Amino acid sequence: MERNRDQPDLSNNPRDAALAWFVRMESGDADAADRRAFHAWLARDPAHRREYDRLAGLWGDLDRVADPRKDRRAVTTRRRFLAFGAVGGAAACAAALGGVVVLTGWPGDLKTGIGERRTVALDDGSVLTLDADSALSVEFTARERHVRLTGGRAHFVTAPDPDRPFVVTCANGRVTTANASFVVHRCLDSVVVAVEAGTTSLATGTEPPLSVTAGQSRSYGPDGPGPLLSQGVAVENAWRHGRLVFQGQPLDAVIADLNRYHPSRIVLWDRPLAGLRFDGSVDISRPDAALNAILRTLPLRTLRPVPGLIIIRSV
């Protein structure tokens, strides 16, 4: 008696059925019954073979895949931003950026798309740069300047205001400063705060506030703050210089960062793959090459069943 298992969707749409069969046959889990049913489906209609061959043609060595953003390079160049050094004043940084959008008295939401970064000068003289596929909201009151990061990553250069602290909230944490340059990064299961210049105060849940100063970084999550780190600032700022840097990061976190730049959605087929660790630096202007660099160091292969979707599975 053959075991009971889910069968691919054999809808009236040959393309949908071909996708379901392609995923099943490339999964490594197909058994003899699957193979018999698959060959019977192929023989049933010439359209089935055409659609399946079309999908199979999408499989290939990533080294041969042209960078899909090549035709958009001019657009990407126009979106590049100056990297800030030590903070000599947010107003000076805003002036140096020249083409930065100035939002006077602006409340509300700011979002970026896949591969898009955006720099905004606020009406208090502070400057923020939003990483790709990120989102935040801004609300200034008479008592504080409040930014809520709801996804992705952002770099902040705050202008001094003795009457209104600058506050960034993300998940269960609150970063407060009078004048600093820092990054807040919302990861899969944690948030990282990395300070370039100045001093910030990090409060999480009911824990007492902790100081994070220039050259330091600290992560926090549902269980509270992690240890103070002295090497995370450069890593968390690398995206502003066109790179993503990973130091022993789990694969699911690496893919989450790369997904903000890659034109295709990348997903992990096998849950255990999430825990694989990756060390390296990749060029975010060439997202397919960046993915290939990751794959070269780990026992992985890709499945591209349809345009716009990349499945990573074990070899």
Side-chain angles (χ1 to χ4, degrees), residues 7-312:
Q7 288 295 321
D9 175 17
L10 299 182
S11 64
N12 291 328
N13 187 327
R15 179 165 296 183
D16 292 342
L19 170 59
W21 274 120
F22 190 75
V23 172
R24 169 60 58 81
M25 301 308 292
E26 292 292 338
S27 70
D29 296 325
D31 58 13
D34 286 326
R35 288 189 286 273
R36 287 194 298 269
F38 168 63
H39 288 294
W41 176 81
L42 282 179
R44 196 173 303 145
D45 190 329
H48 295 175
R49 169 68 70 178
R50 287 196 300 270
E51 288 299 329
Y52 191 86
D53 288 346
R54 185 185 65 84
L55 287 174
L58 296 175
W59 181 284
D61 186 346
L62 287 180
D63 283 329
R64 296 197 300 269
V65 177
D67 182 1
R69 297 187 183 182
K70 185 175 182 181
D71 294 337
R72 296 167 51 193
R73 191 168 303 280
V75 176
T76 303
T77 300
R78 288 194 294 269
R79 289 175 177 159
R80 282 190 168 179
F81 312 112
L82 294 178
F84 302 136
V87 181
C93 289
L97 286 168
V100 171
V101 177
V102 179
L103 301 181
T104 304
W106 174 73
D109 299 332
L110 179 65
K111 297 181 180 181
T112 52
I114 301 297
E116 175 191 15
R117 289 175 291 171
R118 187 176 181 187
T119 295
V120 172
L122 304 179
D123 63 347
D124 70 328
S126 298
V127 178
L128 62 87
T129 301
L130 204 58
D131 197 2
D133 194 26
S134 300
L136 55 74
S137 61
V138 177
E139 182 180 4
F140 282 9
T141 68
R143 302 181 65 177
E144 71 176 22
R145 298 165 291 168
H146 182 209
V147 176
R148 181 182 301 276
L149 182 67
T150 55
R153 176 163 42 190
H155 176 269
F156 302 89
V157 182
T158 65
D161 186 336
D163 299 321
R164 293 187 303 169
F166 196 98
V167 179
V168 179
T169 57
C170 184
N172 66 325
R174 180 180 174 94
V175 182
T176 305
T177 185
N179 185 20
S181 170
F182 60 100
V183 170
V184 179
H185 179 191
R186 183 159 192 169
C187 309
L188 289 178
D189 302 315
S190 64
V191 178
V192 178
V193 178
V195 180
E196 283 184 299
T199 300
T200 66
S201 175
L202 171 62
T204 62
T206 59
E207 299 285 337
L210 299 171
S211 177
V212 185
T213 62
Q216 297 177 337
S217 66
R218 190 188 291 270
S219 65
Y220 64 88
D223 298 329
L228 196 64
L229 304 175
S230 59
Q231 299 180 343
V233 176
V235 171
E236 288 298 333
N237 275 282
W239 60 276
R240 295 170 52 230
H241 304 274
R243 303 198 69 82
L244 293 176
V245 176
F246 305 102
Q247 294 181 332
Q249 293 297 305
L251 185 59
D252 57 351
V254 172
I255 295 304
D257 272 353
L258 187 56
N259 263 327
R260 294 208 298 275
Y261 288 90
H262 204 287
S264 295
R265 182 65 178 169
I266 308 169
V267 298
L268 299 179
W269 179 277
D270 307 303
R271 185 177 297 274
L273 296 182
L276 294 177
R277 300 280 172 170
F278 175 71
D279 285 278
S281 172
V282 298
D283 182 353
I284 56 180
S285 70
R286 301 176 60 228
D288 245 343
L291 176 59
N292 199 25
I294 295 169
L295 297 179
R296 281 199 302 268
T297 67
L298 298 172
L300 303 171
R301 64 186 296 196
T302 60
L303 169 69
R304 299 183 180 227
V306 291
L309 174 64
I310 299 175
I311 298 172
I312 294 179

